[in-house]
Amino acid sequence: MTRPTKNFSPNPVLLLGLLVAASSLATPGGEQSLPLAAPGRVVDLSYAISETLPAWPGDARPFEAKVNARAEEAGYFSRSFCMLEHFGTHLDAPIHFPPGKTPVDAIPPARLIGPAVVLDIREAAAADADYKVTPADVEGWEKRHGRIPAGAIILARTGWAARWPDPTRYRNMDAQGVMHFPGFSVEAVKLLLERQVSGLGIDTLSVDYGPSKDFAVHRLSHGADVYHLENLADMSAVPESGAMLIVAPIKLAGGSGGPVRVFAMLPD
């Protein structure tokens, strides 16, 4: 007997298994040979790209778009665009800092899909704009939810998305031109590397906190082949544990990074 399936709502954990299986069954051209069902609820953690977004200080002409054809005249609409690899919601590939590491197009697909671990530091960041995720923040999460699984993607929820897209509030520069926003600490990242995580993400301009000059978190994590997600959109709907992430960067040959869509699949 055939059972009705109209009310079927896929479980995110099951969907993750299907996605990983699909990536292993992909043809050389990149086509997936396994059909996938749509999840019940998806949150887009990416900002739309435009010239109005806050850029890193000193970045010239981060985004430009030009209309090549208008539907009213040519019968179709088309544009060309030019942008920096690190602008808007973007992925930093490991090659961004240490030479010889993985470029964006060579990140294994299985590392772009994984459990979301949300470290909620909004209260601490509201009290201290220069706050850095600590080992205690990581250990506190593990006390509540269990050990962070290998392949997890770690998201620091700082609350900084509330300042987007105001460049003055988002960069939060002082009179000396030093930016102030939260990031990760080297000590916390060392612990996360022991957990064999795939990526670090944050809702600020950088995984290194604003005043950083040496970008120690970039150097450490990229050196371990961990990618970064920066300028993530509002994560308030994403639970600390139980969501799955799909990270879909532009497949730019040899790229140090590029624009990315990040989707959180929420648990039922």
Side-chain angles (χ1 to χ4, degrees), residues 7-236:
N7 297 323
F8 174 69
S9 178
N11 185 294
V13 176
L14 175 60
L15 184 61
L16 175 66
L18 291 174
L19 288 165
V20 173
S23 68
S24 67
L25 295 173
T27 65
E31 299 83 7
Q32 303 298 337
S33 57
L34 182 65
L36 299 177
R41 186 182 175 201
V42 176
V43 175
D44 188 349
L45 299 180
S46 320
Y47 294 115
I49 301 168
S50 77
E51 68 280 358
T52 65
L53 306 186
W56 191 264
D59 280 350
R61 299 167 63 187
F63 178 83
E64 294 179 286
K66 176 186 174 183
V67 174
N68 293 329
R70 300 183 185 278
E72 297 83 355
E73 301 160 359
Y76 64 94
F77 176 54
S78 175
R79 300 193 309 171
S80 60
F81 71 92
C82 176
M83 67 179 292
L84 298 177
E85 291 179 338
H86 302 273
F87 179 67
T89 305
H90 65 273
L91 181 146
D92 290 354
I95 200 174
H96 183 34
F97 270 68
K101 290 295 180 178
T102 308
V104 66
D105 59 305
I107 297 173
R111 290 177 63 84
L112 298 172
I113 303 167
V117 168
V118 178
L119 304 177
D120 194 334
I121 61 167
R122 287 176 291 185
E123 185 175 341
D128 178 8
D130 293 335
Y131 186 81
K132 293 182 281 187
V133 173
T134 67
D137 293 319
V138 177
E139 291 162 354
W141 189 97
E142 291 190 322
K143 285 178 183 176
R144 294 188 297 275
H145 305 291
R147 187 178 174 89
I148 292 172
I153 303 169
I154 312 301
L155 305 181
R157 179 163 57 203
T158 74
W160 225 247
R163 298 169 176 249
W164 186 276
D166 183 333
T168 300
R169 296 184 65 235
Y170 196 70
R171 294 177 185 144
N172 199 29
M173 282 185 175
D174 62 24
Q176 286 71 45
V178 176
M179 294 186 291
H180 297 275
F181 54 76
F184 286 85
S185 71
V186 166
E187 295 76 19
V189 172
K190 285 179 179 177
L191 179 57
L192 292 169
L193 293 180
E194 291 177 7
R195 303 296 189 262
Q196 300 180 342
V197 303
S198 289
L200 304 176
I202 197 164
D203 52 358
T204 69
L205 275 167
S206 173
V207 295
D208 277 288
Y209 81 139
S212 176
K213 299 300 180 186
D214 58 2
F215 302 101
V217 168
H218 275 78
R219 297 182 190 281
L220 174 63
S221 51
H222 281 341
D225 227 32
V226 169
Y227 60 81
H228 303 158
L229 305 170
E230 295 173 332
N231 294 325
L232 288 171
D234 181 18
M235 303 181 212
S236 58

